[in-house]
Amino acid sequence: MSRIKSIEPAIKADEPPRAGEKILRVARDLFYRQGIRAIGVDEIVRRAGVTKPSLYRSFPSKDELAASYLRRYDLEFWDRFDEAVAAHPGDPRAQIGAFLTRIGKRTQKPDYRGCGMTNAAVEYPEHGHPARVVSEANKRELRRRLRAMAAAMGAGDADTLGDGLLLLIEGAYISGQLFGAGGPAKSVARNADLLIEASLKK
Amino acid sequence: MSRIKSIEPAIKADEPPRAGEKILRVARDLFYRQGIRAIGVDEIVRRAGVTKPSLYRSFPSKDELAASYLRRYDLEFWDRFDEAVAAHPGDPRAQIGAFLTRIGKRTQKPDYRGCGMTNAAVEYPEHGHPARVVSEANKRELRRRLRAMAAAMGAGDADTLGDGLLLLIEGAYISGQLFGAGGPAKSVARNADLLIEASLKK
DNA sequence: AGGTATACGTACCGATCGGTAACATTGTCA
DNA sequence: TGACAATGTTACCGATCGGTACGTATACCT
């Protein structure tokens, strides 16, 4: 098992959002921007225009709400990833390039807050925490894909190159939120390409 | 201004540690391993064997205690950095190699928790937070040094190489605590050397 | 011995934390 | 009409949060 599946049922587009959905949308916004530990359930229900019992009818605990937030984040993440892949069929190097170029641009926005998965893992170092479990699964899958793409490029040591790309990506997430605009993350695509070039020459 | 100076007075080695010093030592351990937000002041004073008023006599607030923890962390960090530099005088490439080899090894330890500076910045995204201010200063200085070392290596685009090295380092910190032993961080020195190689050939 | 400053402890504060019990209200479908 | 599911309302819980008012002990200096 690797890819995370959504637990929530599909939402009909025309129906008004149910309480659980409203909560999840607000939680996603607040958790991502300010951190999970920094946001209390009271603020979530207040901004969602619902009440606390509604939250606990849809989610067994705040930790599980955080995990649900990350499961949705996971879906959106792979949508973006697959978009970059689909833009350059059969050309993994260009796929990586497209994905990293977009990351590099996003990191230059003023309120960039990095990767929700990465941040959650930092906030919850304890093994087995519901949020951390989702985060770890996402990162394992990302590593697997990057290594596979490195192999498809014909790299001599594909695992090392895949891991190197992952290091650059995580570095971009973090330094993006640390330095803001003008930070090191803006050169992530360029550095990745240099690393790929060096790895293919072997 | 760039380098952070220690505010705390020097500690006499033979005297028994004062309350403030005991608190700072315990806080350093707990904050690093479990996160700053995850640890309350009550637990700190309990494990330090002191009382809460002692904490607030030595530190104006928990946020400032966190900042003091990071100032001490900063000193230790540059000690390790300068150690790697001193081991290879006049050879910045080997200096980077030594520093990253040590990071790569540390990330493979079972309870590795990444960089206290990086983690604090993730925990406190708000601009101006005392802990974040210290963290940002540390990272700016690291960036400055890496770029200077890249220039000393004779890289064509030294700023890009320096930033690439910073991305790899931050990636190692994060993926070290995300993947544990066997994770991508173990290849950080190898990938950095490939990147350097590619950047010098230009 | 007496004063004084430093260092520390006991006990407490209001606010917020995550979470729940019990009941009222609403809209939908049969 | 009547049953059911979903949500809101209100009030509450014990625990923990960061922080403080105030009294006490100890050591040093004169």
Side-chain angles (χ1 to χ4, degrees), chain B residues 19-20 23 45 49-59:
Chain B
I23 289 167
V45 298
V50 300
T51 57
K52 221 171 349 174
S54 281
L55 192 157
Y56 286 97
R57 276 180 216 113
S58 299
F59 308 93

Side-chain angles (χ1 to χ4, degrees), chain B residues 39-41 52-53 56 61-62:
Chain B
I39 297 295
V41 291
K52 221 171 349 174
Y56 286 97
S61 67
K62 186 200 175 185

Side-chain angles (χ1 to χ4, degrees), chain A residues 1-201:
Chain A
M1 65 139 191
S2 55
R3 184 66 179 279
I4 302 157
K5 306 248 174 44
S6 171
I7 285 184
E8 324 302 332
I11 312 282
K12 311 285 191 299
D14 48 348
E15 289 180 10
R18 302 224 175 279
E21 175 63 21
K22 289 196 277 187
I23 289 167
L24 196 49
R25 285 182 191 171
V26 169
R28 183 181 160 286
D29 184 50
L30 295 179
F31 282 164
Y32 175 74
R33 279 168 37 206
Q34 299 179 231
I36 300 171
R37 293 197 117 113
I39 297 295
V41 291
D42 291 275
E43 186 168 359
I44 294 175
V45 298
R46 191 173 53 78
R47 314 241 319 219
V50 301
T51 56
K52 213 162 10 164
S54 279
L55 192 157
Y56 285 97
R57 283 181 204 113
S58 299
F59 307 93
S61 66
K62 186 200 175 185
D63 287 346
E64 281 301 329
L65 171 60
S68 292
Y69 144 63
L70 290 179
R71 277 188 284 272
R72 178 161 295 189
Y73 192 101
D74 181 75
L75 294 177
E76 298 167 353
F77 174 83
W78 292 115
D79 278 350
R80 289 195 296 269
F81 192 92
D82 290 338
E83 213 171 282
V85 168
H88 304 275
D91 186 350
R93 185 169 180 175
Q95 291 166 354
I96 296 278
F99 182 65
L100 290 189
T101 299
R102 192 146 97 181
I103 288 183
K105 279 191 183 133
R106 283 187 59 206
T107 63
Q108 300 303 301
K109 294 187 185 173
D111 285 332
Y112 182 70
R113 253 290 282 176
C115 171
M117 297 283 180
T118 301
N119 296 348
V122 171
E123 283 199 273
Y124 294 100
E126 188 193 359
H127 276 45
H129 187 286
R132 189 183 181 88
V133 168
V134 179
S135 175
E136 286 178 354
N138 172 273
K139 296 303 183 185
R140 272 198 307 272
E141 171 67 6
L142 177 58
R143 186 191 201 192
R144 193 189 65 75
R145 290 213 198 180
L146 290 173
R147 287 178 152 197
M149 291 165 88
M153 289 182 218
D157 188 347
D159 284 352
T160 295
L161 173 57
D163 284 358
L165 294 173
L166 182 51
L167 295 182
L168 288 173
I169 291 170
E170 294 296 335
Y173 288 149
I174 289 295
S175 68
Q177 63 180 300
L178 247 166
F179 287 87
K186 73 172 189 292
S187 70
V188 62
R190 171 85 188 116
N191 273 296
D193 211 62
L194 283 167
L195 186 59
I196 291 171
E197 188 68 30
S199 300
L200 296 188
K201 289 236 177 80

Side-chain angles (χ1 to χ4, degrees), chain B residues 140-156:
Chain B
R140 272 197 307 271
E141 172 67 7
L142 177 59
R143 187 191 199 192
R144 194 189 63 77
R145 288 215 199 179
L146 290 173
R147 287 178 153 198
M149 291 167 88
M153 290 182 217

